[in-house]
Amino acid sequence: MDIFAGRSTASTRDHFFTVPLDYADPDGEKITLYAREVMSSYYRHRPGFLLFLQGGPGIEAERPVKFDGWLGTALQEYKVVLLDQRGTGRSTPANRQTLALRGDSEEQAKYLANFRADSIVKDAEYIRRQMVGSDEPWSILGQSYGGFCAVTYLSYASEGLRAAYISGGLPALDADAVDLYKAAYPRVEKKNIEYYRAHPGDIQKVREVIEYLDSHHVRMPGGFPLTARGFQSLGRNFGYPGGFETMHYMLEEAFVRGATGVELSDRFLEWARDGISFAKNPLYAIMHELIYAQGSKTDWAAERALREFPRFSYENALEGSSPVLFTGEMIYPWMFDQDPALRPLRDAAEILASYTDWPALYDAKQLAANEVPVAAIIYREDMYVDCGYSEQTARSISSARAKTTDQYDHEGLRQSDGLIMKKLIGMLRPEAPEAVAHVPFSHRATA
């Protein structure tokens, strides 16, 4: 299929694979995986494959519509494989509709326990053997959570890798989930300060919305309730390009005068619903804290960590004169009570939060002996992945070259018009200066 009609620059090929749900039981239940292979018409002679590991968790690979950015750069070197990680996109889906077929909450939780990075890496290895060959390694590119998966790959299946590129996705190797969220809340608060500095008039507008929500029972289209805490959770987009502006424009049209007086407008409520609902990617909410679990339960770590940050309490803000702070990408148990897409999965999520025997996702000894070339970009102002932990992990991976930049935030791979991808490739090919973009980096984490 030619996806760039009239330009003949790239084509795609669909691949479907049948793999075990649980690789410890290879003869047991099977699920389907989908991968889209993208090839450049100009560079078909290049034999190498690059597997793109999408951020998330629980989000399908991007659907290319243009031959530019990081993808266009990568296609000059590789055939790119866009994998819909298990449970997402065109792979066997995991959502309230499909999970209802599995039985009670215990069975649902047992099923979902197979959807972490260790299983994703085993999926990738199965696909590699089918697409490339058992003895032929490929390269990987991990964005955000995809970088976490890449480090798991380096830990347990490095023989399948020729090179690993990571953008905004070097995980902490052994930090507790609560500690990670304790490190995250100050980063989120800093983004709030930047937002209000850019739009000082929004301080009062946000207070007015919060005051209204705190004193009224508001429902968004489809009957979805909008609460003050729900509105605060829209801050999860503050770490992405345009996140501040989206909130600002949303607030411009927050209120309208209706038959009963001033009320929140339908336009505002629909905007809020689209930003709050997990209907498109419920697995993101279910699995989010579990990506940090190694040997101990998560037990709603973000909610527990929040107790040490009373500045995020909207009640405290309303009692005083402080701006109301938005929260980040944290997942809270109350979301499973309010969101119709999550409500049927509340008990399964509770069971998963109480699991204590999660296997390790990273092998520090193996990473210290790693021989696979690794290039990683760390974003100093990343709201989602802690820069300090990332730099520490970079120093723990042998053969890794990592650089920290102030120029881009978490989405630098997509935001930089291909420059970050060029930089990553160039970091492993210093003899090819044409591949190295002139992106300023303020600190080298390791060399």
Side-chain angles (χ1 to χ4, degrees):
M1 170 185 169
D2 191 334
I3 57 172
F4 305 107
R7 296 175 61 185
S8 300
T9 54
S11 60
T12 67
R13 182 182 301 156
D14 293 337
H15 297 272
F16 291 90
F17 306 90
T18 300
V19 302
L21 168 67
D22 181 356
Y23 282 87
D25 182 17
D27 297 323
E29 182 176 354
K30 303 295 194 296
I31 60 174
T32 298
L33 299 176
Y34 168 75
R36 190 188 315 270
E37 180 184 355
V38 187
M39 301 155 286
S40 169
S41 300
Y42 297 129
Y43 301 98
R44 288 181 183 271
H45 62 283
R46 298 188 185 275
F49 279 84
L50 177 73
L51 172 69
F52 177 64
L53 294 168
Q54 168 70 32
I59 298 176
E60 70 279 2
E62 57 191 71
R63 276 42 178 161
V65 294
K66 292 191 296 183
F67 182 68
D68 61 2
W70 77 263
L71 180 59
T73 300
L75 286 173
Q76 297 178 35
E77 303 284 337
Y78 300 100
K79 295 178 181 179
V80 177
V81 179
L82 303 173
L83 170 65
D84 283 355
Q85 297 168 16
R86 50 173 54 201
T88 74
R90 297 177 70 185
S91 296
T92 300
N95 54 44
R96 66 174 180 84
Q97 296 162 305
T98 62
L99 291 170
L101 301 174
R102 309 209 62 82
D104 63 18
S105 298
E106 289 282 354
E107 288 299 316
Q108 294 173 9
K110 181 180 178 181
Y111 179 81
L112 290 166
N114 295 290
F115 283 70
R116 299 201 313 153
D118 45 1
S119 294
I120 293 170
V121 167
K122 291 171 183 174
D123 290 340
E125 274 295 273
Y126 182 94
I127 293 172
R128 178 186 65 83
R129 289 190 291 269
Q130 297 296 312
M131 291 188 66
V132 185
S134 298
D135 300 324
E136 184 69 21
W138 62 3
S139 299
I140 56 174
L141 168 62
Q143 157 66 20
S144 187
Y145 173 65
F148 291 26
C149 295
V151 177
T152 301
Y153 213 142
L154 291 165
S155 294
Y156 299 112
S158 61
E159 67 278 2
L161 298 178
R162 188 179 302 279
Y165 307 106
I166 298 172
S167 174
L170 281 174
L173 297 182
D174 56 8
D176 179 83
V178 171
D179 291 334
L180 290 170
Y181 285 112
K182 287 180 180 179
Y185 279 112
R187 300 197 306 272
V188 176
E189 182 175 7
K190 184 177 179 180
K191 288 295 184 182
N192 275 269
I193 293 171
E194 293 174 8
Y195 165 62
Y196 284 127
R197 185 179 295 128
H199 304 288
D202 288 357
I203 295 176
Q204 181 58 32
K205 292 179 181 179
V206 170
R207 289 180 67 91
E208 290 171 357
V209 170
I210 290 289
E211 288 171 348
Y212 186 91
L213 292 172
D214 196 42
S215 59
H216 293 77
H217 294 289
V218 177
R219 291 196 174 274
M220 297 177 286
F224 192 158
L226 178 60
T227 63
R229 288 199 72 181
F231 179 61
Q232 282 182 287
S233 73
L234 287 170
R236 73 170 64 105
N237 294 320
F238 277 4
Y240 291 109
F244 294 168
E245 287 67 32
T246 297
M247 177 62 70
H248 175 68
Y249 296 140
M250 180 178 170
L251 288 167
E252 285 184 335
E253 303 177 58
F255 288 101
V256 65
R257 182 172 295 278
T260 59
V262 174
E263 57 187 296
L264 290 172
S265 69
D266 283 348
R267 181 173 174 82
F268 172 88
L269 294 175
E270 176 60 25
W271 210 331
R273 185 202 60 77
D274 186 59
I276 294 172
S277 172
F278 288 99
K280 293 179 181 178
N281 299 102
L283 202 58
Y284 176 95
I286 298 167
M287 303 302 297
H288 197 271
E289 292 200 352
L290 305 183
I291 69 175
Y292 305 123
Q294 300 187 88
S296 61
K297 61 183 179 181
T298 56
D299 195 22
W300 303 112
E303 182 78 12
R304 290 188 289 130
L306 182 60
R307 298 166 190 164
E308 298 190 17
F309 297 91
R311 296 186 298 278
F312 282 88
S313 166
Y314 75 85
E315 294 95 342
N316 291 346
L318 293 183
E319 288 177 2
S321 57
S322 300
V324 175
L325 298 182
F326 291 89
T327 53
E329 66 168 352
M330 296 79 176
I331 300 297
Y332 304 106
W334 56 262
M335 293 176 172
F336 287 82
D337 295 323
Q338 295 184 5
D339 190 336
L342 299 180
R343 198 175 299 136
L345 305 174
R346 175 67 166 85
D347 291 342
E350 191 69 52
I351 292 168
L352 288 167
S354 68
Y355 272 16
T356 58
D357 57 350
W358 294 108
L361 293 169
Y362 315 111
D363 185 332
K365 184 177 180 180
Q366 174 61 34
L367 293 172
N370 171 66
E371 296 181 355
V372 176
V374 178
I377 300 298
I378 300 166
Y379 304 104
R380 189 179 302 281
E381 299 303 320
D382 196 324
M383 190 177 88
Y384 307 102
V385 179
D386 187 85
C387 175
Y389 280 123
S390 293
E391 291 181 338
Q392 179 179 336
T393 295
R395 291 189 289 268
S396 301
I397 303 176
S398 179
S399 300
R401 298 179 64 84
K403 293 178 181 288
T404 303
T405 179
D406 295 302
Q407 182 167 355
Y408 298 103
D409 289 339
H410 185 71
E411 280 290 283
L413 183 69
R414 297 185 176 95
Q415 184 185 3
S416 65
D417 195 27
L419 293 182
I420 291 294
M421 190 70 241
K422 290 179 182 178
K423 174 65 75 174
L424 286 167
I425 293 173
M427 287 166 66
L428 299 186
R429 297 181 185 174
E431 75 284 358
E434 70 277 6
V436 182
H438 298 290
V439 182
F441 289 87
S442 58
H443 172 69
R444 173 173 289 182
T446 187

